[in-house]
Amino acid sequence: MYPIFLNVKNKLCVVVGGGKVAERKIKKLIQEKAEIIVISKSTTQRIKNLEQKGKIKKIVNSEFTKNMIPEGTFLVFECTGDKDVATQIKQECEEKRIFLNSATYPEISDFFVPSSIKRWGLHISISTEGKSSAFSRAIREKIERELPKELSEKLKIIAKIREKLIKTEGKKNKLQDKFLLEISRYAVENPKISEKTFLKYIEKKSKKYFIGINSKIFRASG
């Protein structure tokens, strides 16, 4: 399996099924600002409420039949639990060259939806390649408990510095890569230090890499 993060913002994603599993897929797609169509003869009240709020583009109240997946669909999520329907959806996705995720039948899936942790720009995903969603969830919960919340704040500082470095020196280069890696390793090893202490460390390390560069760019994260 090749790990990848997909940008689904404003892209059409079709969810076939209207139960609790479909709800979970829809929730994540909404978080990533996808355009969503749901195909299902019946849906949970929560899914109906999401359509009423404009979070879902459309609910097609019907059992799945051939040619119900619109042209231009980016991804399809099969959440029916019915193998015959899942097989039919798979055939149509292959014909239209659309990637499919089947919640119940991983053997027909083109991709798997990992269990994930997302804090600001930090996004960690865990997958068992469809073998056990419960196992990947258990690992996610363990990592989530042990992952310091302060890491996101350190990432924000490093992201700002990276942006300022590129503006100051032009495109990113190997020297910048070494510097950013060194301060990133320090942040990961010392997540709970204060912003003031972290910025002092960054300024100190900057002298090793950027003699002659205005040190003000390392003094503030804003």
Side-chain angles (χ1 to χ4, degrees):
M1 288 290 160
Y2 191 87
I4 190 169
F5 284 92
L6 290 175
N7 179 7
V8 297
K9 185 178 180 180
N10 299 325
K11 293 183 173 68
L12 180 59
C13 296
V14 173
V15 178
V16 186
K20 294 291 184 182
V21 175
E23 270 186 24
R24 292 197 294 272
K25 305 292 185 187
I26 291 165
K27 182 182 176 182
K28 286 199 172 184
L29 289 169
I30 289 171
Q31 288 172 350
E32 299 303 326
K33 297 179 171 51
E35 190 175 273
I36 306 161
I37 290 177
V38 177
I39 301 172
S40 183
K41 192 173 182 180
S42 63
T43 58
T44 64
Q45 188 58 49
R46 187 171 293 178
I47 292 174
K48 290 173 184 174
N49 292 342
L50 289 170
E51 184 194 29
Q52 289 168 3
K53 291 176 182 176
K55 303 288 186 180
I56 294 173
K57 182 179 180 181
K58 181 170 63 174
I59 295 176
V60 180
N61 296 114
S62 169
E63 292 180 352
F64 183 85
T65 57
K66 190 172 175 58
N67 291 324
M68 291 190 79
I69 299 171
E71 292 294 333
T73 297
F74 186 60
L75 299 174
V76 173
F77 297 83
E78 182 279 313
C79 309
T80 66
D82 185 316
K83 192 159 190 177
D84 290 337
V85 175
T87 301
Q88 191 177 351
I89 294 168
K90 174 66 173 176
Q91 289 172 350
E92 186 165 338
C93 285
E94 285 182 341
E95 289 169 7
K96 295 181 176 178
R97 297 188 176 184
I98 301 167
F99 285 138
L100 168 69
N101 170 261
S102 174
T104 319
Y105 307 104
E107 65 273 13
I108 68 169
S109 293
D110 297 303
F111 68 98
F112 299 105
V113 179
S115 187
S116 63
I117 304 161
K118 190 171 184 180
R119 293 180 185 165
W120 194 68
L122 184 63
H123 199 163
I124 301 170
S125 294
I126 305 103
S127 173
T128 58
E129 299 185 353
K131 294 174 179 65
S132 174
S133 59
F135 193 83
S136 59
R137 177 179 174 177
I139 293 175
R140 174 189 50 88
E141 289 172 347
K142 180 174 175 60
I143 293 172
E144 202 163 23
R145 286 193 303 270
E146 297 181 2
L147 190 69
K149 293 180 180 178
E150 293 87 350
L151 272 180
S152 292
E153 295 305 314
K154 302 300 182 295
L155 174 57
K156 287 179 185 179
I157 292 170
I158 291 169
K160 286 284 186 183
I161 288 172
R162 177 183 180 274
E163 184 182 334
K164 288 178 180 181
L165 272 174
I166 292 171
K167 282 183 180 178
T168 303
E169 293 206 302
K171 65 180 182 179
K172 197 158 70 75
N173 55 44
K174 288 182 179 180
L175 197 63
Q176 292 176 28
D177 285 339
K178 288 180 180 179
F179 170 68
L180 292 169
L181 179 58
E182 188 164 345
I183 63 174
S184 295
R185 283 172 173 161
Y186 184 81
V188 171
E189 293 298 326
N190 304 276
K192 295 183 182 294
I193 59 169
S194 68
E195 179 175 326
K196 184 178 179 180
T197 301
F198 186 45
L199 287 169
K200 280 184 178 178
Y201 174 84
I202 290 170
E203 187 168 3
K204 179 183 174 182
K205 286 296 173 183
S206 72
K207 292 172 184 176
K208 173 182 171 183
Y209 291 94
F210 304 104
I211 296 171
I213 297 295
N214 188 343
S215 63
K216 285 184 180 179
I217 70 170
F218 304 111
R219 288 183 192 155
S221 56

